[in-house]
Amino acid sequence: MPNVPGTTALPRRDQIRREAARLFAARGFLGVGVDEIGKAVGISGPGLYRHFAGKDAMLADLLIGISERLLEEGRRRAGGGDGPAAALDALIGGHVEFALDDRDLITLHDRELLNLKEEDRRTVRRLQRGYVELWVDVVRQAYPALADPAAEPVARAAVHAVFGLINSTPHSLGPNPAAQADRPGPGLQRDGMAALLRSLAHGAFSAAAESASAHA
């Protein structure tokens, strides 16, 4: 569900998702009305209720949906069968793609989780825990120094640090980073940013492994 220029080929529900994510990220969940979202997709505000029960349901759909997608895609990448190092590289690459292509959703996740209803927030947290555990398991397989039970907290801390690094992308890039792939600018183009993030993530895990070895 990348945030790309609009197209009428998108199903109406996906159009609503995209525009709701964009508006919530730009102005905050509490600062956007249903009528504005409807206007952005060319229907009346009340017409949205044929697709979503309300604004709360839109936010839950976005945040639960992306958490489900990350976990499902993470499991697929981790089960690629080419060994732990390749699985970790695939996980990193997938999360980097998410960070670069779905920046509005990262902003929502960072800022709007508390606006979810309690049941929906518990669902997101459960999915997040599953995603973290997947990464921790793969990292500890890829780096033998982190496989020792005593090194598990180091591996876990490194995973959270890498998430923070990659998820900071929306705050470190200008508007429309995908367009930079075709248009030179003063900052990194998309491929350059992707390569940098992947290198930094691998470096963080290597540093965690070295730290664990030094304190073993």
Side-chain angles (χ1 to χ4, degrees):
M1 192 169 53
N3 297 321
V4 296
T7 169
T8 56
L10 276 178
R12 180 68 78 186
R13 187 176 174 90
D14 288 337
Q15 291 178 39
I16 294 170
R17 285 188 179 110
R18 184 193 61 204
E19 292 304 318
R22 180 182 64 81
L23 289 168
F24 291 160
R27 295 172 46 197
F29 174 73
L30 299 179
V32 177
V34 170
D35 288 342
E36 295 173 82
I37 299 171
K39 183 178 179 181
V41 296
I43 61 177
S44 66
L48 290 178
Y49 293 110
R50 293 196 295 272
H51 303 277
F52 292 96
K55 201 171 68 164
D56 288 344
M58 293 179 205
L59 183 63
D61 179 88
L62 288 167
L63 293 182
I64 293 174
I66 194 55
S67 297
E68 289 174 337
R69 193 185 97 191
L70 280 171
L71 181 55
E72 180 180 348
E73 178 67 9
R75 286 171 173 164
R76 186 189 69 79
R77 287 173 177 264
D82 294 324
L88 180 57
D89 187 61
L91 280 176
I92 292 170
H95 201 94
V96 167
E97 289 175 10
F98 163 60
L100 293 175
D101 294 337
D102 289 292
R103 292 168 58 198
D104 288 344
L105 291 175
I106 287 186
T107 300
L108 288 188
H109 185 275
D110 288 347
R111 196 173 61 195
E112 305 294 352
L113 190 59
L114 291 177
N115 283 315
L116 285 178
K117 294 180 179 178
E118 179 61 29
E119 181 179 356
D120 293 327
R121 189 159 58 246
R122 285 199 300 268
T123 298
V124 171
R125 292 297 193 196
R126 174 178 55 79
L127 293 165
Q128 287 176 334
R129 286 194 297 271
Y131 189 57
V132 170
E133 294 306 319
L134 174 68
W135 274 68
V136 171
D137 183 56
V138 172
V139 167
R140 296 181 72 196
Q141 292 180 51
Y143 289 93
L146 296 173
D148 188 279
E152 189 270 345
V154 178
R156 188 172 300 276
V159 167
H160 284 289
V162 167
F163 286 170
L165 167 71
I166 298 174
N167 290 350
S168 69
T169 301
H171 310 292
S172 59
L173 290 178
N176 300 321
Q180 294 179 8
D182 302 314
R183 185 179 68 250
L188 281 176
Q189 296 182 10
R190 186 191 185 284
D191 288 349
M193 178 60 80
L196 176 61
L197 289 171
R198 291 179 77 147
S199 177
L200 291 171
H202 281 293
F205 290 130
S206 294
E210 290 175 8
S211 175
S213 295
H215 293 88

